[in-house]
Amino acid sequence: DIVMAGEEAYPLALAAIDDAPPVISVLGNIALAANCCVAVVGARHASLNGRKFAEKLARELGENGQTVVSGLARGIDTAAHTGSLSSGTIAVVAGGIDIVYPEENKKLYEDIKELGLIIAETPLSVPPVAQSFPRRNRIVSGLSKGVVVVEATMRSGSLITARMAGEQGRDVYAVPGHPGDPRAQGSNHLIREGATLV
């Protein structure tokens, strides 16, 4: 379906951000976007412990009435969607809604289409390009009351999502990590900057 800003089905939380997309494509249960949502994001090249933690956190958020939002990327995003699949999860994709990226998440994409919700701003059949991902990230944070960063390097897209969340008036949470692990530098930095420690 195509949902336009101002229509009843358009997510209220997303409509409240300054640069809300005027039109979104949706596949699945659009009612999930009206729930209280929490984004869980992080490194594509995540550690095993990071992926396990993200999956557990997402499952427990879902069990406690929160809808988990993420970006269908490798690593933490994949773990977050997997953990919250049974309670309903929202995947915001960077390309057209019919483009599965990365290709390895084809099965997860199909599962989310059946049990959750997929959202895209990019027109049908348009593959994602580099600038698509930060634009996608503002929708991930815009749908959510808060953003949890599980693992992130200092040059991570997850830090862009966290910054956008702060600018949108959303809560920012971060999971601390080992000081010697580059994947923990971004989340440890967020905690030093005032993010809520998870």
Side-chain angles (χ1 to χ4, degrees):
D1 289 329
I2 304 293
V3 181
M4 301 181 75
E7 290 184 347
E8 192 176 337
Y10 194 93
L12 275 177
L14 187 58
I17 69 172
D18 288 340
D19 55 351
V23 180
I24 55 173
S25 306
V26 298
L27 270 173
N29 182 7
I30 186 69
L32 287 172
N35 295 350
C36 185
C37 297
V38 176
V40 177
V41 298
R44 284 179 168 83
H45 302 291
S47 68
L48 178 61
N49 282 339
R51 294 194 308 270
K52 283 182 175 175
F53 186 85
E55 188 169 337
K56 178 179 186 289
L57 178 67
R59 181 168 42 257
E60 291 178 359
L61 283 166
E63 287 167 354
N64 286 280
Q66 307 298 308
T67 297
V68 173
V69 182
S70 201
L72 200 67
R74 293 181 181 94
I76 297 300
D77 289 19
T78 295
H81 290 308
T82 302
S84 58
L85 197 56
S86 62
S87 57
T89 186
I90 300 174
V92 184
V93 296
I97 202 158
D98 55 335
I99 304 289
V100 181
Y101 182 84
E103 185 65 35
E104 68 209 51
N105 276 348
K106 178 75 174 155
K107 168 79 167 66
L108 182 58
Y109 173 95
E110 295 296 334
D111 289 343
I112 295 172
K113 195 165 72 171
E114 292 302 313
L115 300 169
L117 174 65
I118 300 168
I119 294 178
E121 173 184 26
T122 307
L124 274 173
S125 303
V126 176
V129 292
Q131 60 265 37
S132 308
F133 294 95
R135 294 189 57 75
R136 183 262 326 257
N137 293 351
R138 89 189 194 289
I139 298 174
V140 170
S141 57
L143 286 165
S144 308
K145 296 268 197 261
V147 172
V148 183
V149 177
V150 178
E151 283 183 342
T153 64
M154 286 302 292
R155 295 177 57 82
S156 166
S158 301
L159 293 196
I160 295 172
T161 310
R163 179 179 53 77
M164 290 174 171
E167 290 170 358
Q168 293 166 350
R170 283 23 177 184
D171 294 326
V172 178
Y173 305 89
V175 178
H178 189 281
D181 187 344
R183 293 172 293 208
Q185 288 178 350
S187 44
N188 290 346
H189 169 76
L190 288 173
I191 292 165
R192 282 195 301 275
E193 294 291 306
T196 301
L197 185 147
V198 176

